[in-house]
Amino acid sequence: PLTPAPCHPTPGMLAEDGRCKTLDAAADGYVRAEAVGVMLLQPMTAAGASSDMGSAPLAVLAGSAVNQDGRSSGLTAPNGPAQQDAIRQALAAAGLTPADVCGVEMHGTGTSLGDPIEVGALAVVLGPGAAAGGARRAQPLVLTAGKSWIGHSEAAAGAVGLLHAVAGLGAAQAQAVLHLAAPNPYLE
């Protein structure tokens, strides 16, 4: 009789200790999680208020972008130029410049290769020389990662990341990246 294949990722892809160590030198894989994220998205009026709600919104989604990763070396090695393109498209859709961005909710899976590729893409598009005329950023770019709190919730990961960012906005402070003890040596 045939034995069904186990329903888990390739050995070595999951963090052995069950902790997502985004941006950390000890990053050793991602952590699986289950989640549901619920958001009410409504168009804004010219006055800035939501058309059907009496209270102010928790956040405003000024623009977004989606693309395909294209050719990459593997599942845990994202395509940096594809990520750069998505960031530029989102900025254009929002009518923002790199200097307008003060923080980023990262995908931040906690892999030793994927996180530095993501940070590299952010550095190219939003980093010190990305402002108009190559001017330095007025403030550092703050990076957060909801996956360090709960892991990778697969299909709900985007919603969870957005809700994590909204929680930081509501608290008026960046959410900590948990399990970050020593920066990944591949980060600049």
Side-chain angles (χ1 to χ4, degrees):
L2 295 174
T3 304
C7 296
H8 57 77
T10 305
M13 287 183 62
L14 295 177
E16 288 190 26
D17 62 1
R19 298 193 186 278
C20 180
K21 297 173 279 298
T22 303
L23 304 176
D24 196 83
D28 59 348
Y30 81 103
V31 176
R32 297 185 83 182
E34 296 292 334
V36 173
V38 178
M39 294 168 272
L40 175 62
L41 303 176
Q42 292 187 304
M44 300 294 288
T45 65
S50 176
S51 56
D52 294 335
M53 301 291 286
S55 61
L58 298 177
V60 174
L61 186 61
S64 65
V66 177
N67 73 356
Q68 204 277 340
D69 203 34
R71 184 179 292 279
S72 63
S73 299
L75 183 62
T76 61
N79 182 312
Q83 290 186 353
Q84 293 171 30
D85 289 344
I87 298 164
R88 287 186 186 104
Q89 290 171 23
L91 286 171
L96 298 173
T97 69
D100 295 325
V101 178
C102 60
V104 173
E105 173 68 31
M106 297 178 53
H107 186 63
T109 56
T111 61
S112 61
L113 180 60
D115 289 350
I117 291 172
E118 181 178 5
V119 170
L122 291 168
V124 167
V125 180
L126 303 174
R136 304 257 329 145
R137 293 185 64 81
Q139 298 177 356
L141 183 65
V142 176
L143 304 178
T144 63
K147 286 179 186 69
S148 73
W149 289 68
I150 68 165
H152 196 317
S153 52
E154 312 295 336
V160 169
L162 183 56
L163 291 170
H164 185 255
V166 170
L169 290 172
Q173 64 184 16
Q175 302 294 314
V177 176
L178 299 185
H179 318 299
L180 177 54
N184 184 317
Y186 296 110
L187 297 174
E188 292 183 20

